[in-house]
């Protein structure tokens, strides 16, 4: 009898914990895996001590190191996201280590308001679509925005959390190629992405339908259209949403049969070359009034040479260019594509930017970078090379609960972020996680802005490629400008845009204590 009493006590305790875990909403992992999920948090708390003697260091895991994930988690929860006792990175002997050079003096006065920068939206230095006279040109109110991740690849709760987080921080939310769902309509302005399958704007035969596009963008807060040519995770491959994920709701949104594999071709059928693509771009812009751009990974340079030549010699052109690095990763793909196809972000972006810069076209184009740029040092380097905006994907996934289990392609994401399994998805509380997404987005902007202040400039877009060096241990270092052959002025907005963004940021810094500055809010058309 005593033995049964001894077993009953821990069993009752476990049942009580399980009951609490199933109804609480703060931790998706515990809602899906009550009791046993606590083991993960225990190991996480003991991890630093264990790793010192047993397993990997803080900078050895991939695609995101433990330190990088810790910064995202801490920022999203608004707990201490600072690190003590100096860096544990091997600066002295690591090849390719990035160093940002601060300045001692600057003409830009530092903000006198503690923590004011945490609420700054930090707008783009360029007005998107203005150079080509688009009817609905606008100045994006945040340099950091949510990259394209479709409903279907992500759960409904994850999409809602990201959309609400974007709305709370004045960020744009890219829909991904899967169309606009009701989960994208929770307050954030949208970038509607058109992929090769034309989900959301296709006819019964899978061909592009202009009337459906017009109706769709008029029904939702769409601010711009992005034509996806390829992405870093699977450049030139197309996509596949397994039939198990094609629920009745997804089938309706995408315009495809329920329960059948949903395939995105590797190339577009609405155009066949650069010339016809630009005709299509101008058609979409004229019919919707929206800025229109392209997203692509970087491979063979011929496409970019032809695009620059066509834009230089005709009145047609794209309003923005999104470059996705080969290290991007929200899309599932064969290992050879994730590991070896398309250039990594920095070298790919620098090559493309240089072609537009040599032709004198950069002032009229908004450049957007994506591919592991949701970390402050990577974001700063990207902006120094000429990015006007930064798109983030996996990092906000971490903020809303992802634990880098790398099961996105299996429909068995343990935290309910990348799955259509209702049991797993129910663990993710969109209300709580949206706050964490917003906290992360603010933290990233704050840190990037503080680095700009350390570099003596008013806005992150004014950091130059000469302000960032790449060091090969203690032996040698080279600036990004020299590494990629940048000329004087490359990577910076034009004179008028530099003056205007400096004025906007100066006004925001002068907002009285107790108020929040949102530069660009009054000037955005």
């Amino acid at each position: 009898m005593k033995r049964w009493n001894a077993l009953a006590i821990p069993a009752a305790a476990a049942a009580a914990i399980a009951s609490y875990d199933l109804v609480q909403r703060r931790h998706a992992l515990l809602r899906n895996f009550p009791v046993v999920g606590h083991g993960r948090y225990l190991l996480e708390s003991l991890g630093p001590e264990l790793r010192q003697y047993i397993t990997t260091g803080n900078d050895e895991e991939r695609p995101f190191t433990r330190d990088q994930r810790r910064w995202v988690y801490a920022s999203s929860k608004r707990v201490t996201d600072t690190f003590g006792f100096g860096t544990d990175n091997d600066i002295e002997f690591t090849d390719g280590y990035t160093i940002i050079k601060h300045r001692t003096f600057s003409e830009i006065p530092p903000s006198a308001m503690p923590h004011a920068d945490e609420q700054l939206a930090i707008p783009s230095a360029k007005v998107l679509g203005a150079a080509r006279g688009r009817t609905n040109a606008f100045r994006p109110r945040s340099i950091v925005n949510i990259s394209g991740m479709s409903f279907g690849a992500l759960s409904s709760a994850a999409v809602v959390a990201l959309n609400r987080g974007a709305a709370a921080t004045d960020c744009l939310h890219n829909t991904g190629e899967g169309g606009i769902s009701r989960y994208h309509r929770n307050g954030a302005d949208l970038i509607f992405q058109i992929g090769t399958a034309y989900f959301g704007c296709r006819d019964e035969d899978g061909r592009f339908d202009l009337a459906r596009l017009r109706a769709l963008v008029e029904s939702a807060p769409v601010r711009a259209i992005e034509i996806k040519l390829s992405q870093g995770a699977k450049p030139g491959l197309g996509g596949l949403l397994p039939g198990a994920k094609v629920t009745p709701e997804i089938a309706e949104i995408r315009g495809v049969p329920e329960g059948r594999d949903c395939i995105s071709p590797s190339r577009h059928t609405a155009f066949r070359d650069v010339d016809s693509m630009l005709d299509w771009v101008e058609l979409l812009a004229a019919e919707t009034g929206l800025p229109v751009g392209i997203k692509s990974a970087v491979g063979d340079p011929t496409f970019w040479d032809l695009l620059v030549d066509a834009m230089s010699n005709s009145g047609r052109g794209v309003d923005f260019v999104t470059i996705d690095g080969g290290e991007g990763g929200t899309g599932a793909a064969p290992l050879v594509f994730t590991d070896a196809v398309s250039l990594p972000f920095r070298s790919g972006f620098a090559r493309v930017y240089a072609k537009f810069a040599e032709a004198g076209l950069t002032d009229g184009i908004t450049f957007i970078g994506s591919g592991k740029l949701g970390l402050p040092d990577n974001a700063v380097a990207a902006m120094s090379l000429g990015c006007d905006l930064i798109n983030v994907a996996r990092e906000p996934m971490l903020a809303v609960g992802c634990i880098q289990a790398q099961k996105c392609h299996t429909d068995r994401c343990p935290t309910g972020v990348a799955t259509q399994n209702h049991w797993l998805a129910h663990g993710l509380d969109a209300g709580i996680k949206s706050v964490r997404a917003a906290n992360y987005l603010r933290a990233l902007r704050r840190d990037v802005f503080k680095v700009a202040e350390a570099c003596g400039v008013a806005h992150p877009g004014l950091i130059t490629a000469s302000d960032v060096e790449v060091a090969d241990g203690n032996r040698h270092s080279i600036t990004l400008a020299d590494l990629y052959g940048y000329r004087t002025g490359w990577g910076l907005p034009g004179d008028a845009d530099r003056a205007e963004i400096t004025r906007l940021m100066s006004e925001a810094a002068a907002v009285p204590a107790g108020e929040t500055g949102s530069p660009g809010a009054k000037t955005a058309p």
Side-chain angles (χ1 to χ4, degrees):
M1 187 69 176
K2 291 182 180 180
R3 187 182 71 174
W4 289 111
N5 287 338
L7 293 174
I9 293 174
I17 294 172
S19 299
Y20 174 77
D21 288 344
L22 287 169
V23 298
Q24 61 82 35
R25 295 177 177 273
R26 293 183 60 83
H27 302 289
L29 188 68
L30 298 182
R31 289 191 80 191
N32 293 337
F33 301 96
V35 182
V36 296
H38 288 278
R40 186 254 179 187
Y41 296 103
L42 176 64
L43 290 174
E44 183 181 41
S45 65
L46 297 176
E49 291 80 8
L50 294 174
R51 288 192 299 273
Q52 273 188 289
Y53 303 102
I54 300 175
T55 183
T56 59
N58 287 333
D59 295 292
E60 293 179 10
E61 293 187 25
R62 294 294 183 271
F64 290 90
T65 69
R66 191 171 288 109
D67 274 350
Q68 290 168 340
R69 298 199 313 275
R70 174 189 158 193
W71 178 82
V72 174
Y73 293 144
S75 298
S76 69
K77 297 174 185 177
R78 296 198 71 179
V79 298
T80 301
D81 59 0
T82 54
F83 291 67
F85 212 63
T87 181
D88 60 5
N89 293 346
D90 190 5
I91 297 177
E92 297 92 340
F93 301 103
T94 299
D95 288 344
Y97 197 87
T98 300
I99 301 293
I100 302 164
K101 301 188 293 186
H102 71 286
R103 290 190 177 95
T104 304
F105 300 110
S106 170
E107 296 178 357
I108 305 298
S111 172
M113 297 179 295
H115 310 299
D117 50 288
E118 294 179 3
Q119 299 301 323
L120 288 178
I122 313 180
S124 169
K126 294 176 182 174
V127 177
L128 182 57
R132 310 202 70 80
R134 306 306 188 197
T135 303
N136 296 315
F138 70 105
R139 184 188 300 276
R141 293 198 286 175
S142 172
I143 58 170
V144 175
N145 300 285
I146 303 293
S147 191
M149 295 178 285
S150 302
F151 169 56
L154 297 190
S155 68
S156 59
V159 174
V160 171
L162 293 175
N163 191 265
R164 290 179 181 173
T169 51
D170 289 323
C171 293
L172 297 166
H173 185 185
N174 191 306
T175 64
E177 68 173 307
I180 300 177
S181 68
R182 58 192 173 100
Y183 311 112
H184 289 101
R185 302 171 187 262
N186 280 268
D189 285 341
L190 304 175
I191 303 295
F192 177 56
Q193 186 182 90
I194 302 178
T196 56
Y198 309 110
F199 297 130
C201 56
R202 58 189 265 156
D203 63 17
E204 289 74 11
D205 297 319
R207 296 171 300 194
F208 172 70
D209 189 318
L210 181 59
R212 293 188 182 186
L213 173 67
R214 283 198 302 260
L216 184 67
V217 300
E218 289 171 1
S219 72
V222 176
R223 302 302 303 274
I225 295 172
E226 180 179 79
I227 303 166
K228 188 178 87 167
L229 304 178
S230 63
Q231 67 184 86
K234 45 188 175 183
L237 183 65
L240 170 66
L241 188 67
K245 278 191 168 186
V246 184
T247 63
E249 185 177 30
I250 290 173
E252 180 181 359
I253 293 167
R254 297 195 177 198
V256 298
E258 175 189 344
R260 289 171 52 183
D261 289 349
C262 181
I263 299 173
S264 301
S266 60
R267 292 179 175 84
H268 281 266
T269 57
F271 51 87
R272 64 186 182 280
D273 52 23
V274 166
D275 188 60
S276 56
M277 184 190 78
L278 289 181
D279 284 341
W280 200 58
V281 166
E282 295 298 335
L283 173 66
L284 301 186
E287 292 290 332
T288 65
L290 300 174
V292 180
I294 57 173
K295 173 182 179 176
S296 180
V298 181
D300 177 56
T302 304
F303 165 76
W304 301 104
D305 292 330
L306 294 172
L307 178 60
V308 169
D309 183 66
M311 288 181 61
S312 299
N313 295 291
S314 73
R316 304 164 301 162
V318 296
D319 299 295
F320 64 94
V321 173
T322 303
I323 297 298
D324 199 12
E327 60 271 66
T330 59
L335 186 64
V336 65
F337 278 83
T338 60
D339 284 355
V341 181
S342 86
L343 292 171
F345 173 78
R346 291 187 190 179
S347 56
F349 180 86
R351 292 186 196 185
V352 170
Y353 182 90
K355 293 180 184 296
F356 285 98
E358 288 172 347
L361 298 174
T362 55
D363 288 354
I365 300 172
T366 292
F367 289 94
I368 305 174
S370 63
K372 207 175 179 181
L373 302 184
L375 303 165
D377 54 340
N378 290 345
V380 168
M383 299 204 76
S384 77
L385 288 171
C387 284
D388 302 294
L389 302 174
I390 298 297
N391 280 355
V392 294
R394 285 177 293 179
E395 297 88 347
M397 286 174 64
L398 292 170
V400 301
C402 170
I403 57 172
Q404 196 169 281
Q406 297 179 288
K407 295 185 179 295
C408 314
H409 59 298
T410 67
D411 202 34
R412 295 195 299 273
C413 170
T415 57
V417 177
T419 181
Q420 295 304 306
N421 181 296
H422 291 294
W423 169 250
L424 295 173
H426 98 289
L428 196 158
D429 183 272
I432 292 174
K433 299 302 185 181
S434 67
V435 174
R436 293 190 180 178
N439 289 340
Y440 158 73
L441 292 166
R442 291 191 185 101
L444 176 58
R445 288 193 310 222
R446 175 203 65 206
D447 282 10
V448 172
F449 178 75
K450 296 304 288 185
V451 171
E453 191 175 55
C455 290
V457 294
H459 183 274
L462 305 182
I463 298 173
T464 73
S466 296
D467 293 324
V468 182
E469 291 194 4
V470 176
D472 292 333
N474 288 326
R475 299 184 301 279
H476 174 70
S477 66
I478 185 173
T479 67
L480 291 182
D482 290 335
L483 180 62
Y484 296 117
Y486 271 37
R487 302 173 192 169
T488 302
W490 284 16
L492 290 172
D495 292 341
D497 286 330
R498 289 204 298 270
E500 178 64 8
I501 198 60
T502 298
R503 182 188 70 81
L504 290 173
M505 297 304 295
S506 298
E507 288 181 357
V511 173
E515 299 181 17
T516 58
S518 183
K522 295 181 180 179
T523 61

